[in-house]
Amino acid sequence: MIDWKPEIRARQAAWIARRRDLHQHPELAFQEVRTAGIVAARLADLGFEVQTGVGRTGVIGILEGASEGPTVMVRADMDALPIQEENAVDYASQTPGVMHACGHDAHTAIALGVAELLSERRDQIAGRVKFVFQPAEEIGQGAAAMIADGALRDPAPDVALGLHTWNESPVGRIALVDGPMMAGANDFTITVHGRGGHGAVPHEAQDPILAASQIVNLLQSIVSRNITPVEGGVVSVTYFHAGDSFNVIPSAAVLRGTIRAFRPELRDLIEARMRAIATSTAEALGCRAEVQLAHLTLPVINDADVNARLRPAFAQARPDLTLVSNYQAMMAEDMSYFLDQVPGTFFFVGSSNPARGLDFPHHHPRFDIDDEAVVPLAVELMASAVAAYVLPDGE
Ligand code: NI
């Protein structure tokens, strides 16, 4: 197998500097113009065939090997979040109200590092590597936009690989999980229509606040009474708005929230129960409920055969790591759209370092990763994963 370590040692300082530069210049979903420019320029320097503007601000770079073989896709996301950074580091965000608080700056730097390493082995590659830098992961739209623009055609990938730096775990812990790994996310809005009136004469009104309150309570029965306890799901009401006066019963109440599930069948069950509870409860109390559901992302479902190929590659490259196979997260990821169409895997690379205070959760204003440790490590893992498919020595 290939030992990437000498090349990694020579290049890692530049990769970390690139991650910090991206961190200083975060860009929101579909606004990743500077980031995409840096990515496209670097891929062109490496002699890749580059396409820009795929899914608005996405970039694709194809590394053509020397002989025939599979097409391996490496996916990285590029966007930041509307959060004001609270870290006092010299590479803190220079854009007020925008921050790389999920690690997508690192993902972009890591994938470029992998591109550099593999480009040096071009003469030995059997097949090709398709690097997909996607926009707008945080709003769950970038992957779908790139797919709509043909990202999975010409050439169609045989396998899709992605990773997420993961602050829930320390550096050195890797989660490579067969099957469902991250939940699908869905939004709901329930509008309860009643009849407004004076707060002192409730019998002449149809109170939507009372009906909506019952609905909030009964929605909690879905996970506890309709879903098998060994699976689980989430129904969270996160918004309840009604009325704006102390003595007026309003005419409507609005509930919003999120549904998470690891299987589409469970999601469908949750949604069916939600519709039934909302409409019949509202009706029982003289009101009428309108339920709107939106599917944001699919669950992330990893292919066991792909993982079986990666596991020995990871273990050989880095026998010092802890490889976990039974980890699941309720958070959502639009890598799921690629994995819905291409067999592949999405793995978590532990990135926290509690001793240095680098263990704030994702999307926190003080989120930061131990980039000096995790960037070179993640490059090594992803390069080894790709090598397991396209570099004959890599197996
Ligand atoms: Ni993320």
Side-chain angles (χ1 to χ4, degrees):
M1 63 161 269
I2 295 168
D3 180 10
W4 305 99
K5 288 183 181 61
E7 289 137 282
I8 290 174
R9 265 196 296 276
R11 293 177 177 276
Q12 61 185 13
W15 297 338
I16 292 158
R18 185 179 282 138
R19 179 261 160 174
R20 293 183 178 189
D21 172 70
L22 294 170
H23 192 86
Q24 281 183 289
H25 302 284
E27 294 171 303
L28 293 173
F30 290 128
Q31 298 171 29
E32 308 90 338
V33 175
R34 178 183 184 273
T35 309
I38 288 170
V39 168
R42 188 67 193 120
L43 296 176
D45 279 353
L46 295 172
F48 290 20
E49 180 193 323
V50 179
Q51 289 169 260
T52 56
V54 186
R56 291 165 69 177
T57 39
V59 181
I60 291 178
I62 296 171
L63 169 61
E64 215 30 80
S67 56
E68 255 324 294
T71 299
V72 179
M73 172 179 147
V74 175
R75 175 271 203 177
D77 43 12
M78 303 189 289
D79 58 322
L81 286 156
I83 293 174
Q84 177 64 44
E85 176 153 15
E86 291 176 10
N87 286 312
V89 290
D90 57 8
Y91 54 89
S93 171
Q94 295 181 0
T95 308
V98 184
M99 176 191 177
H100 269 295
C102 197
H104 300 187
D105 48 350
H107 303 164
T108 301
I110 289 162
L112 285 175
V114 174
E116 290 175 8
L117 288 193
L118 290 168
S119 72
E120 291 182 355
R121 309 263 173 169
R122 167 175 291 197
D123 296 349
Q124 303 155 46
I125 288 178
R128 63 197 60 71
V129 189
K130 185 170 193 171
F131 287 89
V132 173
F133 290 85
Q134 77 153 80
E137 193 288 320
E138 295 294 358
I139 59 170
Q141 294 177 17
M146 288 195 83
I147 292 169
D149 261 2
L152 295 180
R153 297 195 300 266
D154 308 320
D158 297 294
V159 57
L161 306 174
L163 62 79
H164 208 299
T165 54
W166 204 243
N167 257 25
E168 308 289 315
S169 306
V171 172
R173 183 178 282 262
I174 311 299
L176 184 65
V177 176
D178 293 351
M181 170 156 199
M182 299 179 81
N186 310 279
D187 277 7
F188 65 84
T189 302
I190 300 173
T191 308
V192 181
H193 301 278
R195 190 171 70 234
H198 199 294
V201 281
H203 59 289
E204 288 178 8
Q206 306 288 1
D207 185 356
I209 292 182
L210 179 63
S213 302
Q214 304 305 322
I215 291 170
V216 171
N217 284 330
L218 289 172
L219 289 179
Q220 301 313 312
S221 71
I222 298 175
V223 172
S224 70
R225 286 298 174 267
N226 299 132
I227 292 182
T228 164
V230 295
E231 284 205 67
V234 171
V235 176
S236 287
V237 178
T238 56
Y239 176 107
F240 189 140
H241 185 82
D244 43 29
S245 172
F246 80 97
N247 60 358
V248 176
I249 293 172
S251 60
V254 180
L255 306 174
R256 294 177 63 189
T258 189
I259 296 170
R260 304 289 163 115
F262 285 107
R263 288 192 298 126
E265 298 79 15
L266 275 185
R267 172 201 69 199
D268 294 346
L269 171 72
I270 291 171
E271 291 182 355
R273 290 298 304 140
M274 176 171 283
R275 282 186 194 282
I277 286 170
T279 49
S280 52
T281 305
E283 196 188 314
L285 293 167
C287 298
R288 181 175 60 83
E290 217 181 301
V291 181
Q292 288 167 292
L293 295 159
H295 295 170
L296 281 189
T297 60
L298 301 168
V300 172
I301 301 177
N302 294 331
D303 187 281
D305 292 337
V306 173
N307 284 350
R309 194 137 174 173
L310 264 49
R311 238 171 239 122
F314 286 180
Q316 274 186 302
R318 293 295 297 257
D320 55 318
L321 300 177
T322 305
L323 208 53
V324 177
S325 59
N326 62 346
Y327 189 90
Q328 287 184 310
M330 274 298 166
M331 282 81 105
E333 240 294 340
D334 77 355
M335 176 73 185
S336 53
Y337 287 93
F338 295 120
L339 294 177
D340 188 48
Q341 298 194 25
V342 182
T345 198
F346 188 65
F347 55 95
F348 289 162
V349 182
S351 53
S352 71
N353 183 339
R356 291 178 50 200
L358 300 168
D359 58 349
F360 285 89
H362 294 263
H363 297 203
H364 189 284
R366 293 201 54 199
F367 172 81
D368 198 2
I369 58 173
D370 186 351
D371 58 1
E372 289 163 5
V374 78
V375 169
L377 166 62
V379 171
E380 185 172 10
L381 292 177
M382 187 56 90
S384 302
V386 176
Y389 283 91
V390 299
L391 281 162
D393 295 340
E395 289 180 34

